[in-house]
Amino acid sequence: MAVYHLTKDNFDETIARGKSMVDFWASWCGPCKMLSPIIEAVAEKQGDAVKVCKVDIDAEPELANRFGILTIPTVIIFEDGEEVTRSIGVRPQAALEALL
């Protein structure tokens, strides 16, 4: 499954139903670059079971503010549009999947 790239225009609609994993990141962030292939691997492994998404905080500062993102990368797990848990920093694939 492909990774969804979210904006303020499609965020709520995309995560409204089911389980979603959202990676808040920036292109200049070294740890974000390290996490990116892990996020892609989670998306491939989870398939349609989980929507795996990314939010570029530089392009979407409103979303970063809305969720209180102070440190990146931050990964938030949502179920039916509600935050369930979050993880800050680079984590191995198994650790991220355990959040699901």
Side-chain angles (χ1 to χ4, degrees), residues 1-2 16 18 30 43 47-48 52 59 62 69 71 73 78 81 83 98:
M1 175 53 76
D48 292 334
V52 178
E62 291 175 32
I69 305 300
T71 304
F78 293 91
E83 181 175 339

Side-chain angles (χ1 to χ4, degrees), residues 7-100:
T7 67
K8 66 180 186 293
D9 297 327
N10 67 359
F11 187 90
D12 291 321
E13 181 181 337
T14 303
I15 69 160
R17 284 178 229 81
K19 195 169 277 194
S20 304
M21 172 183 281
V22 182
D23 172 25
F24 290 84
W25 69 285
S27 61
W28 48 264
C29 166
C32 298
K33 291 176 185 175
M34 292 169 51
L35 185 63
S36 188
I38 297 168
I39 294 292
E40 304 252 345
V42 171
E44 190 169 315
K45 185 174 179 185
Q46 294 298 319
D48 292 334
V50 176
K51 290 182 202 117
V52 178
C53 313
K54 294 178 77 92
V55 173
D56 180 343
I57 65 161
D58 288 333
E60 300 296 332
E62 291 175 32
L63 287 174
N65 288 336
R66 176 175 161 192
F67 292 101
I69 305 300
L70 301 175
T71 304
I72 53 173
T74 294
V75 174
I76 302 179
I77 307 301
F78 293 91
E79 280 191 44
D80 298 327
E82 299 294 321
E83 181 175 339
V84 176
T85 189
R86 65 174 61 196
S87 172
I88 297 172
V90 178
R91 300 280 183 262
Q93 183 175 342
L96 290 178
E97 290 174 346
L99 298 174
L100 299 170

